[in-house]
Amino acid sequence: MSLGVMVNVDVENLGQATDFYCNALGLRVGRHLGPTIVELLGAAAPIFLIEAPAGSAASGACPQARYYSRHWTPVHLDFTVSDLDAALARAQRAGAQLEGSVSTAAWGKLARMSDPFGNGFCLVQFLNRGYDEIATTRTGLAN
């Protein structure tokens, strides 16, 4: 079985979000899927920006209202970059906020960020052998 991945990001203003993600991360517009969805290309998986008004229900099964002030979710995007300092400066010029300071670990450097729509994301620059610097023996993993 082959498993693909698509990333969907809800935003309040499609034009502003498209400008932000293209300018901040160097993504480019692929297709427009009607008036409320834009496909962005240039990452390992396509990213779909979906315009949804603040206050609208997340889904029929989840009546929680969307809001676009800074919020936390356990699922977020990490964008790997070859030069964290340059990527950070570019993202900030586009309107991203750095949350705290850049941290460095044996595996690399990490900048925790938020976009103008309250969504968190990280910029990651791997150093040396990346996560292999801290990896232990693999056991029990499915192939």
Side-chain angles (χ1 to χ4, degrees):
M1 175 175 95
S2 177
L3 185 63
V5 174
M6 300 181 327
V7 176
N8 294 307
V9 178
D10 288 0
V11 297
E12 189 170 27
N13 183 297
L14 191 60
Q16 289 176 352
T18 301
D19 288 345
F20 171 78
Y21 279 97
C22 289
N23 292 325
L25 300 170
L27 300 173
R28 65 186 184 285
V29 173
R31 301 172 289 176
H32 291 264
L33 307 176
T36 60
I37 302 173
V38 170
E39 175 188 46
L40 299 179
L41 304 174
I47 298 172
F48 295 89
L49 301 178
I50 303 171
E51 187 173 73
S56 62
S59 73
C62 180
Q64 182 178 6
R66 286 179 177 84
Y67 60 95
Y68 293 105
S69 58
R70 180 64 174 110
H71 54 274
W72 181 85
T73 176
V75 177
H76 67 274
L77 302 176
D78 284 356
F79 295 98
T80 57
V81 298
S82 59
D83 182 340
L84 186 97
D85 295 330
L88 175 60
R90 179 181 185 157
Q92 288 178 305
R93 279 192 308 273
Q97 297 294 314
L98 176 63
E99 298 182 336
S101 57
V102 173
S103 59
T104 302
W107 53 266
K109 296 174 11 179
L110 174 73
R112 291 176 181 87
M113 314 285 296
S114 62
D115 74 9
F117 308 94
N119 300 305
F121 69 94
C122 295
L123 298 175
V124 176
Q125 178 184 346
F126 289 116
L127 300 174
N128 305 312
R129 297 179 304 133
Y131 285 147
D132 283 344
E133 292 289 333
I134 59 172
T136 57
T137 305
R138 295 180 191 218
T139 58
L141 297 177
N143 293 331

